[in-house]
């Protein structure tokens, strides 16, 4: 009986059998995954490869940027006037508030200096544009157009004008990948501005909602409370708005309340974000190390790696 | 190697490159989960039509490049691509005989295998998203298959 071969490659110069090639390549992929994920051995390779990917990403980004540029340069006069008026009004308001804040900040700094702790305030910022590139519909990550060449580092805090946006998860030469605070893998230590209650806000995969899973039923937290960053963990500067509590559900039978919050940053609408450099809090005055959970008011379940994207 | 083989190779890589670019072009929010895996469909089509040129290494490299573009764990899409390419290679003699709708069904099965690999490795590396809509590309890819075949056939008929 004649059996037809499945193997349809050329008969001369075949190389190794199909199954062997498949096995080799499959094992190579698995080895890559393990090396990348488990041992973080591939930073260099990834950087080199992403250098090759950058032209493609830039090419995808280009038409969107060009259309923005065209709409900007051919904007009609009345629209510009309107925009100008609005911006002037906002600037006036902001300046008014700033006058007050300047005095407050000075006072704050003086008081903190007395406690020998002026750390945790943003020193330097860099504006980065979000590239028009879709990474994965189910993960909240974006690519920004600043990378290792501009001094961006892994774990750097990213803000927008209204609050905390996320942190840098991966640095390439020209670009960096930012994980948003709404990503289901992200958690950020926060504090209620009103009651001082400390807890952790976890992303849900929904850009309009964070979840606070470790708030006990008795805690002093109510809808409308502003949650600010605590600076614990050393990733985010302290005192920046993170989210506003939208819902607190207390069931008498449960230990933890169901708490939702809405991020103050425009996570799904931003085009530009700020990369922040700040002096991390001093370890002596603050329990700041990533590995140790906060000592003074730990959440009921302290996650040791709360601020690290896995 | 015939001189046309070289032109073919360029054509194959070009079509995959277009598929890869389309994999990261921003789409509206509601459309984004439905995005078909065009690069994989292109790889499958070329393996079916000319298995002597489009091999497993080609599929693996395409998958690896998708990993880099999307910032995923390296090797994740590469594994999915090479598995699908292997299965397509094995079934190639039969699949070529199938009528187009039957073929689309087979493609749907292969896409399901691919997405299962991605889903599985996602779970292992800790990115488990378990919503039903992550399986939508399986459907959209199968629906798109007749179009891919039509486009590819037109393209190769001219260059033949």
């Amino acid at each position: 009986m004649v059996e037809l071969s499945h193997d349809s490659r050329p008969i001369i110069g075949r190389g190794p059998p199909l199954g062997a090639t498949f096995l080799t390549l499959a094992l190579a992929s698995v080895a890559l995954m393990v090396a990348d994920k488990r041992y973080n051995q591939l930073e260099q390779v990834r950087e080199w490869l992403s250098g090759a990917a950058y032209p493609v990403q830039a090419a995808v980004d280009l038409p969107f940027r060009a259309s923005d540029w065209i709409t900007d340069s051919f904007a009609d006069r009345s629209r510009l006037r309107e925009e100008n008026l609005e911006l002037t009004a906002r600037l006036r308001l902001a300046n008014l508030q700033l006058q007050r804040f300047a005095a407050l900040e000075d006072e704050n700094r003086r008081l903190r200096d007395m406690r020998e702790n002026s750390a945790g305030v943003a020193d330097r910022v860099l504006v980065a544009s979000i590239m028009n590139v879709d990474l994965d519909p189910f993960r909240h990550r974006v690519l920004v157009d600043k990378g290792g060449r501009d001094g961006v580092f892994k774990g750097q805090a990213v803000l927008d004008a209204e609050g905390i946006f996320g942190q840098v998860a991966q640095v390439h030469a020209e670009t960096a990948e930012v994980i948003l605070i709404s990503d289901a893998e992200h958690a950020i230590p926060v504090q209620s501005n009103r009651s001082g209650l400390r807890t952790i806000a976890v992303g849900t995969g929904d850009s309009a909602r964070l979840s606070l899973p470790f708030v006990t039923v008795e805690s002093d937290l109510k809808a409308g409370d502003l949650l600010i960053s605590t600076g614990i963990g050393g990733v985010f500067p302290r005192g920046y708005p993170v989210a506003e509590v939208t819902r607190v559900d207390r069931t008498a039978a449960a230990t933890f309340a169901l708490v939702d919050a809405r991020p103050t940053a425009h996570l799904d609408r931003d085009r530009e974000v700020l990369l922040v450099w700040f002096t991390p809090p001093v370890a002596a005055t603050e329990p700041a190390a990533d590995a140790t959970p906060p000592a003074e008011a730990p959440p009921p379940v302290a996650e040791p790696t709360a601020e690290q994207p896995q | 190697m015939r001189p046309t083989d070289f032109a073919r190779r360029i054509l194959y890589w070009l079509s995959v490159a277009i598929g890869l670019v389309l994999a990261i072009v921003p789409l509206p929010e509601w459309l984004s989960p439905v995005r078909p895996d065009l690069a994989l469909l292109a790889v499958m089509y070329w393996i079916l039509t000319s298995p002597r040129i489009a091999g497993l290494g080609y599929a693996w490299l395409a998958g690896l490049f998708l990993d880099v573009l999307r910032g995923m764990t390296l090797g994740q899409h590469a594994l999915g691509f090479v598995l699908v390419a292997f299965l397509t290679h094995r079934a190639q003699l039969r699949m070529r005989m199938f009528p187009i709708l039957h073929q689309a069904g087979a493609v749907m099965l292969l896409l399901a295998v691919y997405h299962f690999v991605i889903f599985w490795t996602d779970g292992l590396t800790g990115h488990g998203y378990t919503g039903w809509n992550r399986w939508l590309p399986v459907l959209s890819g199968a629906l798109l298959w007749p179009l891919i075949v039509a486009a590819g056939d037109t393209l190769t008929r001219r260059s033949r």
Side-chain angles (χ1 to χ4, degrees):
Chain A
M1 197 180 120
V2 181
E3 196 179 272
L4 279 175
S5 161
H6 285 296
D7 199 342
S8 41
R9 294 166 311 143
I11 291 162
I12 300 159
R14 263 191 170 185
L18 200 61
T21 320
F22 167 67
L23 264 181
T24 317
L25 289 176
L27 282 178
S29 333
V30 173
L32 270 178
M33 274 190 272
V34 172
D36 190 15
K37 211 65 207 180
R38 190 74 66 184
Y39 301 109
N40 292 321
Q41 288 297 306
L42 297 178
E43 295 289 323
Q44 199 55 47
V45 180
R46 191 179 266 283
E47 189 164 331
W48 184 72
L49 280 173
S50 61
Y54 177 66
V56 181
Q57 287 162 341
V60 170
D61 185 41
L62 188 71
F64 293 91
R65 196 155 291 193
S67 88
D68 277 359
W69 184 81
I70 286 170
T71 34
D72 274 359
S73 26
F74 293 98
D76 50 300
R77 194 159 161 265
S78 64
R79 215 196 80 198
L80 281 179
R81 245 180 76 82
E82 226 167 80
E83 222 173 83
N84 199 341
L85 278 177
E86 194 197 315
L87 286 177
T88 318
R90 276 176 64 176
L91 186 67
R92 202 173 293 138
L93 201 72
N95 272 337
L96 209 66
Q97 284 174 341
L98 210 59
Q99 286 171 19
R100 205 153 44 89
F101 283 150
L104 281 177
E105 200 187 330
D106 270 357
E107 188 180 333
N108 198 348
R109 211 176 279 267
R110 263 203 320 279
L111 288 171
R112 279 192 182 178
D113 278 346
M114 268 190 256
R115 288 176 50 211
E116 290 174 2
N117 180 15
S118 64
V121 182
D123 299 333
R124 187 159 85 80
V125 294
L126 178 70
V127 178
S129 314
I130 296 179
M131 294 178 78
N132 290 291
V133 167
D134 259 8
L135 293 181
D136 189 325
F138 305 119
R139 292 191 300 165
H140 288 209
R141 291 177 190 227
V142 294
L143 211 61
V144 297
D145 67 346
K146 297 282 186 292
R149 297 233 172 114
D150 308 281
V152 176
F153 58 92
K154 193 171 173 171
Q156 185 169 23
V158 182
L159 272 62
D160 80 350
E162 315 284 332
I164 287 188
F165 186 80
Q167 61 173 296
V168 174
Q170 204 117 55
V171 184
H172 313 309
E174 308 280 352
T175 55
E177 206 181 304
V178 174
I179 175 168
L180 272 57
I181 54 172
S182 60
D183 189 287
E185 283 176 67
H186 194 270
I188 170 173
V190 293
Q191 183 170 30
S192 162
N193 203 18
R194 182 179 58 83
S195 63
L197 175 86
R198 285 187 196 187
T199 181
I200 287 178
V202 181
T204 56
D206 173 358
S207 61
R209 194 166 70 86
L210 299 183
S211 153
L212 279 65
F214 308 122
V215 176
T216 51
V217 179
E218 305 91 51
S219 331
D220 182 11
L221 201 67
K222 59 185 185 193
D225 279 6
L226 182 69
L227 300 172
I228 57 172
S229 55
T230 59
I232 291 174
V235 172
F236 295 103
R238 79 148 48 135
Y240 284 84
V242 177
E244 193 187 308
V245 177
T246 48
R247 188 174 70 112
V248 182
D249 245 355
R250 293 186 170 90
T251 357
T255 322
F256 295 113
L258 272 175
V259 185
D260 285 344
R262 187 171 42 77
T264 51
H266 299 304
L267 297 181
D268 48 353
R269 271 169 295 156
D270 274 326
R271 296 265 49 100
E272 254 129 32
V273 291
L274 304 167
L275 295 158
V276 178
W277 281 263
F278 66 97
T279 332
V282 190
T285 50
E286 277 218 345
D290 279 56
T292 53
E296 43 215 83
V301 185
E303 286 176 312
T305 53
E307 276 193 289
Q308 295 298 319
Q310 269 107 51
Chain B
M1 192 190 281
R2 289 172 298 150
T4 49
D5 273 9
F6 184 68
R8 278 292 176 90
R9 268 172 211 276
I10 289 185
L11 177 66
Y12 296 172
W13 276 111
L14 211 64
S15 57
V16 163
I18 291 170
L20 288 173
V21 166
L22 288 176
I24 59 165
V25 163
L27 289 181
E29 188 105 357
W30 58 273
L31 203 60
S32 170
V34 194
R35 183 198 304 266
D37 313 285
L38 284 172
L40 182 61
L41 290 174
V43 168
M44 285 163 81
Y45 176 78
W46 296 125
I47 287 180
L48 283 185
T49 49
S50 44
R52 301 186 175 196
I53 302 175
L56 296 188
Y58 162 71
W60 190 75
L61 275 179
L64 192 68
F65 213 72
L66 186 57
D67 282 327
V68 175
L69 276 182
R70 284 204 162 162
M72 306 285 267
T73 313
L74 283 184
Q76 201 175 351
H77 286 101
L79 181 64
F81 268 59
V82 82
L83 180 62
V84 168
F86 176 65
L87 294 175
T88 316
H89 245 292
R90 292 301 299 264
Q92 179 252 350
L93 287 178
R94 262 165 291 166
M95 268 178 82
R96 278 166 76 150
M97 295 297 121
F98 289 166
I100 190 75
L101 282 180
H102 193 160
Q103 211 175 53
V107 166
M108 190 154 128
L109 270 180
L110 289 169
L111 285 176
V113 169
Y114 167 72
H115 277 276
F116 182 74
V117 170
I118 302 292
F119 178 52
W120 187 47
T121 45
D122 260 357
L124 284 182
T125 51
H127 305 284
Y129 173 79
T130 48
W132 59 274
N133 51 359
R134 77 172 292 145
W135 301 97
L136 277 176
V138 175
L139 204 65
S140 64
L143 289 178
L144 210 63
W145 181 252
L147 260 172
I148 301 261
V149 170
D153 283 356
T154 325
L155 213 67
T156 40
R157 197 169 302 132
R158 193 145 33 93
S159 73
R160 199 170 278 163

